[in-house]
Amino acid sequence: MLRRLFAFAFVLAAASASAAPVDTLDLNVPLAPAPVVVQGRERLLYELHLTNFGAAPLRLDGLSVLDADSGAALAGWRGDALAARARVIGAQNATLDGALQPGERAVLYVELDLPARAPRALRHKVEFSAADAEPGQVEGAQTVPRAAAKLQLAPPLRGGPWAAIYAPQWPRGHRRVFYALDGRARLPGRYAIDFVRLDADGRSARGDADVAANALGYGEPVLAVADGTIAAARDGIAENERVSQQTRNDFDRAAGNYVALALGDGRYAVYEHLRPGSLKVKQGQRVRRGQAIAELGFTGDSTGPHLHFHVADAAVPLLGEGVGYGFEGFRLLGAYPDAKGMGQQPWQPRADEVAAQRRNELPEANSVIEFPP
């Protein structure tokens, strides 16, 4: 009898320490990435969607990106590093500092510099745990990266210095903002850059910086980055005189005045926040690369005068998926380590081992560059 009790207790203990369920977590990469070149390195930017189809909360403990053929780990994140690149869709507290609840979806934003011998395909391993269960793991979401885009563009602006502002980790940065329109969620700003004009001391305005027209880049000519046809254009949205007067806009006015230039193969260069009355083109017009098409302004959802630039697969600003591109040439001056001091203090100079002249690549996050005059 005592032996039976011990055996029963052992079964209970084993059941209470059973493995976490591996059949309830769905892994999906909705859009296969294509590499872009950033400061000499091929980089993938893409999103891994995780959905909890089970009845128990799951805590995400680790993410590894694997070479699908060899199984070698290319990158991995745990703890705070994992939480920093994850957002729970629709949750009031969007950070992933707790468990993924039943029915919830999290998006993990992946930025991955590829090795010299790039893998044919990627696979993902997610480690997780549930209450009263041993930790578990699941592998899936195999994706084959697409060929690198051959899209190399002329400068959208002249001279400089220009701060190329973007950062994958910013919660409200372009990289993390989905728009669900026409029954589909898209990420138009996956490769978007906000260009802000600086002076030699890193300042972005003269005099009272709250006056929009005092921004150094205000009114600068905006240029066609390629020969092409104007696919869409909007003018006539007014702008506030002062930055402090800015308010949020509805979806259809968030881009302010804009121009979309058809580049061919279903890709469009999108310019946003243009100065009212400055558009020099209209829909259907053919333009040449380097041609002035508008002026930098402060319309729409803008925290200050700047040029928002991205390339997507649709002409309307919020209806496209962001696609990669590069610029034919620019000069790298330096960078800001983060947003602190940007527009008020000098940037950190370029490291000696990094070449100043950059060709056929995307500027690094928060770098300071010069385009040809």
Side-chain angles (χ1 to χ4, degrees):
M1 181 65 178
L2 188 59
R3 182 177 298 173
R4 289 179 183 175
L5 287 175
F6 276 131
F8 183 62
F10 176 79
V11 170
L12 286 178
S16 65
S18 60
V22 298
D23 57 352
T24 61
L25 193 60
D26 177 80
L27 281 63
N28 181 37
V29 176
L31 187 65
V36 293
V37 177
V38 181
Q39 212 155 296
R41 304 181 301 275
E42 281 199 327
R43 181 173 297 173
L44 295 178
L45 283 79
Y46 65 97
E47 300 77 48
L48 173 66
H49 290 224
L50 306 179
T51 306
N52 185 357
F53 278 84
L58 297 177
R59 180 178 292 277
L60 302 183
D61 300 321
L63 166 65
S64 298
V65 182
L66 311 175
D67 182 322
D69 295 325
S70 69
L74 303 174
W77 302 272
R78 307 184 68 85
D80 291 343
L82 176 61
R85 64 179 55 249
R87 288 295 179 269
V88 178
I89 298 298
Q92 185 173 5
N93 179 13
T95 59
L96 190 64
D97 52 5
L100 189 64
Q101 299 299 317
E104 281 189 331
R105 175 185 294 184
V107 176
L108 301 184
Y109 298 88
V110 178
E111 297 86 36
L112 176 67
D113 285 344
L114 293 172
R117 185 174 181 178
R120 178 194 62 84
L122 305 176
R123 192 168 173 82
H124 300 82
K125 179 174 72 175
V126 176
E127 301 169 58
F128 60 93
S129 54
D132 301 322
E134 292 292 331
Q137 65 181 42
V138 62
E139 290 189 21
Q142 181 161 316
T143 186
V144 177
R146 294 171 293 153
K150 302 299 184 182
L151 189 58
Q152 304 301 334
L153 304 175
L157 297 155
R158 295 191 185 105
W162 294 99
I165 300 175
Y166 70 97
Q169 69 271 21
W170 290 346
R172 291 296 302 171
H174 304 299
R175 170 80 172 99
R176 298 195 176 199
V177 181
F178 283 91
Y179 296 92
L181 301 173
D182 292 349
R184 177 183 164 193
R186 300 176 177 86
L187 192 55
R190 187 175 284 109
Y191 303 92
I193 297 177
D194 286 340
F195 287 104
V196 174
R197 184 67 184 263
L198 304 175
D199 66 12
D201 296 317
R203 293 172 298 207
S204 61
R206 62 181 71 84
D208 184 357
D210 191 46
V211 177
N214 285 349
L216 298 178
Y218 187 83
E220 284 280 333
V222 172
L223 312 177
V225 293
D227 297 344
T229 301
I230 302 300
R234 179 174 67 188
D235 202 347
I237 293 182
E239 63 186 12
N240 292 312
E241 180 181 348
R242 290 186 169 271
V243 175
S244 58
Q245 295 171 334
Q246 194 72 323
T247 57
R248 298 284 294 180
N249 292 270
D250 295 334
F251 272 6
D252 63 333
R253 296 171 65 91
N257 299 319
Y258 72 87
V259 170
L261 173 62
L263 303 171
D265 297 331
R267 295 169 297 182
Y268 301 84
V270 181
Y271 309 75
E272 300 181 10
H273 312 310
L274 304 175
R275 189 176 71 80
S278 73
L279 270 67
K280 307 178 188 302
V281 294
K282 59 184 179 180
Q283 186 174 352
Q285 180 178 338
R286 288 285 300 174
V287 298
R288 304 287 293 177
R289 56 178 284 160
Q291 180 178 336
I293 57 176
E295 294 176 5
L296 185 150
F298 181 50
T299 55
D301 280 354
S302 176
T303 56
H306 69 275
L307 174 65
H308 169 105
F309 181 86
H310 74 259
V311 177
D313 60 7
V316 178
L318 302 185
L319 283 181
E321 287 282 8
V323 298
Y325 59 95
F327 293 114
E328 291 177 350
F330 59 88
R331 181 176 177 81
L332 177 63
L333 304 179
Y336 287 94
D338 52 42
K340 186 178 180 181
M342 190 177 296
Q344 300 174 339
Q345 300 174 6
W347 57 86
Q348 293 183 359
R350 171 185 52 84
D352 291 339
E353 66 272 15
V354 178
Q357 295 296 332
R358 314 302 308 180
R359 292 189 56 80
N360 300 330
E361 64 180 38
L362 196 72
E364 182 63 276
N366 303 326
S367 58
V368 180
I369 67 173
E370 280 185 339
F371 289 117

